[in-house]
Amino acid sequence: MPNLTYRDVFRFVPNLIGYSRVLLTGAAAFSMYYKCPTTMFLSYALSELLDAADGHYARKLGQCSKFGEVLDMVTDRCTTTILLTYLAELYNSRPLALVFNFITVLDISSHYMQMYSQLITGKTNHKQMDSNAHWVLKAYYTDRRVLFAFCFGNEAFFLLLYINKFLSSTSLYFSIALTVLAFPLFFIKNLINVIQLYESAKDLAKLDAATINEKTNTTASREKSQNTKKKL
């Protein structure tokens, strides 16, 4: 079997699925601002469903890659940010705009902090949990069904908030009922993001403390050794 090149990695099936998600996100964004709610809803929903497919095929075909992991995370963050930004405009409410902005900042910062802390402490990806990880994060990241349920519920909640603005009568009542059902998943998902942000910050601070202590102890030991030699 010939050695792979970076072009081969670009052509991995899960990465091709990732590119289609980027295109669907672009279609959803275009549809938002040009008032095509049906196209937007379908594009966004399909992109979120494909989010589960890329990981499945990566494992099934043995095509897991660092590029694919980053592509997936960046697409997730950009997709959610685009929708939340538009919701802040759509609902035309300063308090709600602040809430949407807070959720956006929490989503981006918690995932970046998690990825950085995991990689710098020797993990292979941001979903890898060891025995010292917070039990909530272990439950969230180690069971794909739990991960999918909360991610899907969170995005469904945002998407329903969007489509509710374009529905009327019976359709609106049904959509509002779904929005209410999705709310607990949205709430818990963002609570997990808060835990993730704190735990990642704590891990980085622990690493900093250990590094500084090691340098301090090494310097103190060196100085003590030099002082001893001078006395001799």
Side-chain angles (χ1 to χ4, degrees):
M1 182 178 178
N3 291 331
L4 292 175
T5 68
Y6 72 90
R7 292 187 179 87
D8 295 317
V9 175
F10 283 166
R11 290 192 290 265
F12 279 179
V13 171
N15 295 339
L16 296 177
I17 294 174
Y19 307 146
S20 69
R21 290 191 64 212
V22 173
L23 294 175
L24 285 167
T25 299
F30 182 89
S31 301
M32 284 180 206
Y33 288 97
Y34 282 89
K35 309 300 181 185
C36 302
T38 302
T39 303
M40 183 278 169
F41 185 90
L42 294 175
S43 299
Y44 197 97
L46 182 56
S47 175
E48 292 307 313
L49 290 173
L50 288 175
D51 187 24
D54 59 3
H56 170 75
Y57 283 105
R59 292 183 294 272
K60 182 178 181 179
L61 300 175
Q63 293 183 343
C64 297
S65 64
K66 297 299 181 186
F67 170 72
E69 290 175 8
V70 175
L71 175 64
D72 181 60
M73 175 177 278
V74 170
T75 304
D76 288 342
R77 304 287 74 76
C78 291
T79 302
T80 304
T81 299
I82 289 170
L83 180 53
L84 288 172
T85 301
Y86 188 77
L87 287 176
E89 176 184 327
L90 184 64
Y91 277 82
N92 194 27
S93 164
R94 288 181 181 177
L96 283 178
L98 288 173
V99 172
F100 291 137
N101 278 300
F102 172 78
I103 294 170
T104 301
V105 171
L106 176 63
D107 183 56
I108 294 172
S109 60
S110 65
H111 282 86
Y112 177 81
M113 190 82 79
Q114 172 75 358
M115 173 172 275
Y116 188 82
S117 67
Q118 292 293 81
L119 293 179
I120 203 170
T121 53
K123 308 294 193 308
T124 57
N125 62 68
H126 74 285
K127 296 178 181 177
Q128 185 179 349
M129 298 287 115
D130 57 28
S131 58
N132 296 320
H134 194 284
W135 67 270
V136 169
L137 297 181
K138 283 195 285 188
Y140 178 67
Y141 278 118
T142 57
D143 190 326
R144 296 190 185 96
R145 294 168 300 178
V146 174
L147 180 64
F148 175 78
F150 283 110
C151 289
F152 180 81
N154 185 61
E155 295 300 327
F157 179 75
F158 297 143
L159 191 54
L160 288 165
L161 286 179
Y162 167 81
I163 204 65
N164 287 347
K165 281 290 189 177
F166 302 94
L167 298 177
S168 59
S169 65
T170 306
S171 298
L172 177 59
Y173 296 139
F174 180 69
S175 184
I176 289 175
L178 291 177
T179 306
V180 172
L181 290 175
F183 178 79
L185 295 173
F186 148 77
F187 183 82
I188 296 172
K189 171 67 170 70
N190 284 277
L191 183 60
I192 291 171
N193 282 347
V194 172
I195 295 172
Q196 178 172 259
L197 180 62
Y198 174 75
E199 290 296 316
S200 300
K202 185 173 71 174
D203 288 343
L204 288 172
K206 282 182 178 179
L207 181 62
D208 287 333
T211 302
I212 293 170
N213 289 336
E214 183 179 0
K215 288 181 179 179
T216 301
N217 292 336
T218 300
T219 301
S221 178
R222 187 184 300 114
E223 290 177 351
K224 183 177 180 180
S225 177
Q226 291 175 347
N227 291 335
T228 302
K229 290 179 179 180
K230 287 180 180 179
K231 289 180 181 179
L232 294 176

